[in-house]
Amino acid sequence: MAILDVDLATPPCHAHARQQQAHADEQQDAGEEEDEQLLLLKGVRHLCERGTITKLPARYVLPPSDRPSPGDDEQPPRSSCVSFPVIDLARLRVPAERAAALAELDAACRDYGIFQVVGHGVDGGGGGAMLDVARRFFDLPFEERARYMSADIRAPVRYGTSFNQLNDGVLCWRDFLKLVCSDDLAGVVPSWPDAPTDLRKVVSAYARSSRRLFKELMEASLEALGIRSGAAAEMLADCDAGSQMLMVNCFPACPEPDLTLGMPPHSDYGFLTVLLQDQVNGLEVRHADRWVLVDPLPGSVVVNIGDHFEMYSNGRYKSVLHRVRVNSSRPRISVASLHGLPPERVIGPAPELVDDDKNPRMYMDTDFATFLEYLTSAEGKHKSFLHTRRLITS
Ligand SMILES: O=C(O)CCC(=O)C(=O)O
Ligand SMILES: [Fe+2]
């Protein structure tokens, strides 16, 4: 049965040969069902571009227990905002203020797993331009975007939809362009979309400034964690050559936003994620056993702890569970830059942070290949990957 409100072609019925017709109808329904599923995999923007949708297609409807609590129609309710810690990079750079700023950073990573950064220079490195070019990319005709569609989660450039398209039972109201940025940016940029014409230039400038921010925050947090200088220097060299993935997300306006999510509850792979978003809020994090809307300060970028940092810090820093809700009137663009160590690097707790008495080792070692393998057979929601790595489950 067609469950979309947009038109799907339906061949005419004939009055005679009822039984044959019933059979044909069944086949047709099955065909329509298949067409519809194929259509949904072309993404939410494509779906919306085909005609006005007034009802959420069933594939996007979450079971009641997973739905966001009803928000006001335009934006999630402001009452659920918490002001997340603000880290001022300028203070980290002033020797007399560094110790106090490091203590604040350490507390933010432990208590929230997410913070806002000001004085970061990312805007100067092209945050506004990045959001603008992202919006223009999603505005391109579908055929242009579809050139980068791939079901292969390993593809370095990939246009896709939902969260983990391979395994999602319920689809998410989100399309994305994934761009893997290796340390040799010049080597990968030619494989990125060539439209809009300024995309490669703008995105590579943004990717570089986000990587600089990642390194500066890593340097500060390694100091805050008390990592020996030799080991810290090795980690920072790995950050220079580290993995970086840009997820350029588009969340179109949604006809029934309280029934679905733009992204399901998940934590990010890697050490730190630098998140840029436009004027439209939607990110919620799990804090003190409830979902809290992130309402960032103008000009700030949001940074969150990923699974690798939780493992490396032996649980001292928490990778934050987060999700994205959508709304009925305003499309939203966000750009998440996920940073980690080189893909071949094995991640495990830092020796300085493990002792047999008070801080027993909480996680086993892991690597990127194990993660990819995990994703092909699991949805990857919640903190499920991290839990497969836990040695102590209490
Ligand atoms: O859009 C957002 O605010 C968050 C995006 C996100 O969590 C991700 O891309 O992993
Ligand atoms: Fe995320």
Side-chain angles (χ1 to χ4, degrees), residues 142-150 159 192-195 200:
F142 173 70
E143 293 67 33
E144 188 64 40
R145 285 173 277 141
R147 287 169 56 202
Y148 305 96
M149 252 177 185
S150 161
Y159 181 68
W192 290 1
D194 51 7
R200 293 178 181 174

Side-chain angles (χ1 to χ4, degrees), residues 24-177:
D25 282 351
E26 263 171 38
Q27 282 185 330
Q28 178 193 319
D29 282 353
E32 281 180 2
E33 178 77 34
E34 200 179 296
D35 285 352
E36 189 174 290
Q37 298 312 322
L38 286 175
L39 169 68
L40 298 186
L41 292 181
K42 291 181 178 171
V44 188
R45 261 204 76 90
H46 180 63
L47 185 64
C48 297
E49 282 159 2
R50 293 175 82 246
T52 307
I53 300 179
T54 53
K55 193 173 182 323
L56 191 68
R59 267 301 292 280
Y60 296 91
V61 177
L62 286 163
S65 58
D66 293 349
R67 292 178 195 165
S69 52
D72 78 47
D73 206 30
E74 305 244 321
Q75 283 275 287
R78 294 186 73 84
S79 57
S80 62
C81 293
V82 160
S83 74
F84 289 97
V86 179
I87 303 298
D88 184 353
L89 277 197
R91 287 187 60 223
L92 272 172
R93 289 171 189 156
V94 174
E97 297 192 40
R98 187 161 172 94
L102 284 179
E104 284 165 22
L105 176 65
D106 191 53
C109 295
R110 285 172 186 241
D111 303 339
Y112 292 85
I114 187 165
F115 50 89
Q116 314 174 59
V117 178
V118 296
H120 46 70
V122 168
D123 226 342
M130 175 70 234
L131 289 168
D132 179 58
V133 82
R135 193 169 299 111
R136 284 183 283 120
F137 173 80
F138 288 107
D139 280 346
L140 290 172
F142 173 70
E143 293 67 33
E144 188 64 40
R145 285 173 277 141
R147 287 169 56 202
Y148 305 96
M149 252 177 185
S150 161
D152 177 9
I153 56 169
R154 287 156 215 259
V157 178
R158 182 172 163 237
Y159 181 68
T161 190
S162 194
F163 181 61
N164 180 357
Q165 208 170 314
L166 294 179
N167 297 317
D168 286 343
V170 175
L171 296 175
C172 296
W173 199 257
R174 166 213 188 211
D175 292 344
F176 63 86
L177 174 67

Side-chain angles (χ1 to χ4, degrees), residues 263 266-268 273 304 322 336:
M263 282 184 93
H266 69 282
S267 56
D268 291 340
T273 300
N304 66 263
H322 54 288

Side-chain angles (χ1 to χ4, degrees), residues 280-294:
V280 182
N281 282 336
L283 175 65
E284 290 185 332
V285 300
R286 194 76 186 162
H287 180 71
D289 288 332
R290 60 194 182 110
W291 286 108
V292 181
L293 177 73
V294 177

Side-chain angles (χ1 to χ4, degrees), residues 299-314:
S300 66
V301 291
V302 170
V303 174
N304 66 263
I305 303 286
D307 289 351
H308 280 175
F309 217 168
E310 179 165 335
M311 289 187 232
Y312 177 80
S313 67
N314 202 30

Side-chain angles (χ1 to χ4, degrees), residues 174 247 249 251 263 266 268 275 277 283 322 324 332 334 336:
R174 166 213 188 211
M247 296 298 307
N249 299 308
F251 306 96
M263 282 184 93
H266 69 282
D268 291 340
L275 181 83
Q277 62 165 51
L283 175 65
H322 54 288
V324 177
R332 173 171 183 267
S334 73

